[in-house]
């Protein structure tokens, strides 16, 4: 009899409720139980999990590793998919393996390279992957120089933190003075240069920004599945151009993504993003974790989360190719159930009977979240 697989996702994105769904609907028909932890009691991943806990706040990376080691031991975790404190966790991979837990994340060296976007750009350039012009900015004068040089080349300047994820802190610089125009409609990523400079002058701490030209669409996110032997098993591009999304297997996107994934050992699931600079694709960002939109590959007949878990368990799924490319689609928000007010302990021990499935949404749902997005065809 094949044993169940116990998977833990820590403080992950709301959209990964679909990652969890795919693990349960795996083509191997293997029983999967999911443990989830989060700092937000209203995260839908807690409601979607078989067992769940609120994470303690304000733990240092070292303190979080101790917390994680306790979790895997108490919960009998087979595969740990870390997002929060990924770098600290992979540095202690041997301790998790000694506890019987595989860590579904790249080795420490790969995580370190892509934690800092400047180091990442320098590293991928060295293996022949094109990147856009960029400037590292820590002061007012450096920002002015970078913006003026980019504008002289006919580009709009934008900036984002040198380390970070999910587009947090991304802004586009404009010369338009601040006015009511900026206060009408929805919030915009555009910020007037004079306000940015004023903020820098009054800041108590220096910034660490990457300033670069605003890149053009399409944006292509290549989801890669790479084995511990550094060989890519699966690479599929997800295209985004305005509202319209789709899929591509064109080598102008896949070849540089494979080069990065194999060259830096981005084991298991990674996401490598490109945009256009002029008439050629250039690297925009690299995520050493599963993308929030990874589940969209199911429209191509691919279950990437389960294939990654198989790899982590030492069960190589072999080289994979989507049996077809799904039609173009768009993403819309949909309701997901939440836990009733506070987070109960569904099961104190992993050996207890499974709880009943969450009740379906009724006319009076317990809650919903917009970030759990569904895909609809166009």
């Amino acid at each position: 009899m094949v044993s169940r697989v116990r998977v833990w996702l820590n403080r992950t994105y709301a959209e990964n409720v679909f990652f969890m769904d795919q693990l349960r609907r795996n083509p191997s028909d293997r029983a999967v139980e999911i443990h989830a932890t989060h700092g937000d009691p209203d995260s839908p991943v807690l409601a979607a999990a078989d067992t769940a806990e609120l994470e303690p706040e304000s733990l240092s990376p070292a303190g979080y590793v101790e917390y994680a080691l306790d979790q895997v031991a108490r919960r009998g975790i087979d595969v740990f998919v870390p997002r929060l404190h990924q770098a600290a966790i992979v540095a202690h991979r041997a301790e998790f393996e000694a506890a019987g837990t595989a860590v579904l994340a790249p080795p420490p060296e790969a995580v370190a390279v892509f934690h800092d976007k400047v180091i990442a750009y320098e590293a991928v350039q060295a293996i022949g992957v094109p990147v856009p012009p960029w400037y590292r900015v820590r002061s007012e004068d450096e920002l002015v120089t970078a913006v003026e040089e980019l504008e002289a080349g006919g580009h709009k300047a934008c900036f984002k933190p040198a380390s970070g994820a999910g587009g947090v802190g991304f802004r586009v610089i404009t010369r338009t003075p601040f006015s009511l125009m900026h206060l009408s409609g929805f919030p915009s990523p555009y910020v007037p240069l004079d306000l940015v400079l004023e903020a820098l002058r009054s800041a108590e701490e220096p910034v660490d920004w990457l300033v670069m030209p605003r890149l053009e669409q399409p944006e292509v996110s290549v989801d890669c599945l790479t084995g511990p032997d550094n060989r890519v098993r699966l690479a599929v591009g997800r295209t985004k151009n305005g509202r319209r999304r789709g899929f591509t297997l064109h080598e102008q996107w896949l070849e540089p993504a494979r080069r990065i994934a194999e060259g830096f050992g981005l084991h298991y699931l990674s996401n490598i993003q490109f945009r256009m600079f002029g008439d050629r694709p250039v690297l925009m960002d690299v995520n050493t974790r599963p993308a929030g939109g990874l589940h969209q590959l199911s429209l191509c007949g691919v279950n990437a989360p389960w294939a990654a878990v198989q790899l982590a368990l030492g069960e190589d799924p072999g080289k994979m190719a989507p049996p077809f490319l799904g039609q173009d689609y768009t993403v819309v928000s949909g309701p997901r159930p939440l836990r009733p007010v506070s987070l109960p302990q569904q099961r104190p021990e992993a050996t207890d009977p499974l709880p009943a499935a969450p009740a379906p949404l009724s006319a009076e749902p317990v809650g919903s979240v917009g970030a759990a997005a569904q895909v609809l065809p166009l």
Side-chain angles (χ1 to χ4, degrees):
M1 180 177 177
V2 179
S3 62
R4 57 133 199 220
V5 179
R6 188 97 164 117
V7 181
W8 173 27
L9 283 77
N10 77 333
R11 206 171 293 209
T12 193
Y13 302 113
E15 202 171 11
N16 273 334
V17 292
F18 302 117
F19 186 104
M20 298 159 74
D21 291 343
Q22 286 192 281
L23 289 181
R24 292 189 176 107
R25 296 196 300 264
N26 67 80
S28 303
D29 200 25
R30 187 93 170 261
V32 175
E33 293 181 12
I34 298 173
H35 180 55
T37 58
H38 208 285
D40 178 5
D42 288 336
S43 169
V45 300
L46 298 179
D50 297 298
T51 60
E53 290 184 20
L54 280 174
E55 292 186 356
E57 294 296 335
S58 305
L59 287 179
S60 67
Y64 194 90
V65 170
E66 292 302 313
Y67 163 79
L69 286 167
D70 176 70
Q71 285 284 307
V72 301
R74 286 196 301 110
R75 295 292 184 175
I77 302 300
D78 299 301
V79 179
F80 178 20
V81 187
R83 189 200 66 83
L84 183 66
H85 292 310
Q86 187 190 66
I89 288 162
V90 297
H92 292 266
R93 187 187 301 269
E95 295 171 51
F96 287 94
E97 290 177 345
T101 302
V103 178
L104 200 152
E109 301 80 13
V111 173
V113 167
F114 295 104
H115 176 73
D116 185 303
K117 292 179 173 60
V118 171
I119 294 173
Y121 276 16
E122 291 173 340
V124 300
Q125 272 186 299
I127 63 170
V129 174
V131 301
W134 54 269
Y135 304 79
R136 189 166 208 160
V137 164
R138 295 188 173 95
S139 69
E140 177 185 350
D141 290 342
E142 289 176 344
L143 177 63
V144 170
T145 298
V147 171
E148 288 180 346
E149 291 187 9
L150 287 170
E151 289 179 342
H155 307 293
K156 284 188 189 326
C158 63
F159 65 88
K160 57 186 174 182
S163 61
V168 174
F170 172 81
R171 298 291 187 274
V172 181
I173 292 176
T174 175
R175 298 280 187 166
T176 305
F178 186 79
S179 68
L180 284 176
M181 177 189 71
H182 293 90
L183 301 178
S184 62
F186 292 103
S188 164
Y190 286 87
V191 290
L193 177 60
D194 59 337
L195 294 187
V196 180
L197 294 175
E198 182 181 339
L200 285 174
R201 283 191 290 269
S202 60
E204 296 181 359
E205 297 180 359
V207 298
D208 188 8
W209 289 341
L210 193 70
V211 178
M212 55 194 291
R214 187 176 191 189
L215 303 175
E216 300 302 321
Q217 293 184 326
E219 179 178 320
V220 177
S221 293
V222 182
D223 294 307
C224 291
L225 174 67
T226 307
D229 57 2
N230 293 348
R231 289 191 300 109
V232 170
R233 305 300 199 274
L234 172 72
V236 181
R238 289 183 286 114
T239 65
K240 182 165 66 174
N241 197 339
R243 175 172 290 190
R244 181 171 292 272
R245 303 188 180 202
F247 303 99
T248 180
L249 296 177
H250 198 293
E251 283 297 312
Q252 71 172 342
W253 312 105
L254 269 55
E255 189 278 330
R258 282 194 295 262
R259 194 185 309 178
I260 292 170
E262 294 180 343
F264 295 97
L266 295 181
H267 301 167
Y268 306 112
L269 292 168
S270 60
N271 177 256
I272 303 170
Q273 302 169 0
F274 302 89
R275 273 198 175 219
M276 299 298 294
F277 180 63
D279 59 355
R280 67 171 182 165
V282 294
L283 179 70
M284 185 169 68
D285 208 354
V286 175
N287 294 310
T288 59
R289 53 165 176 77
L294 178 70
H295 65 279
Q296 293 162 16
L297 296 188
S298 63
L299 298 177
C300 300
V302 173
N303 189 327
W306 177 246
V309 166
Q310 285 184 293
L311 271 177
L313 294 173
E315 304 167 5
D316 196 334
K319 191 167 181 60
M320 302 169 62
F324 54 86
L325 290 185
Q327 71 181 86
D328 285 359
Y329 62 100
T330 191
V331 175
V332 297
S333 296
R336 295 287 298 204
L338 298 180
R339 290 292 168 187
V341 182
S342 61
L343 177 73
Q345 292 293 335
Q346 296 102 308
R347 295 194 292 136
E349 299 296 337
T351 54
D352 290 349
L354 280 172
L361 290 175
S362 64
E364 297 180 354
V366 294
S368 65
V369 62
Q374 299 172 317
V375 295
L376 291 177
L378 288 175

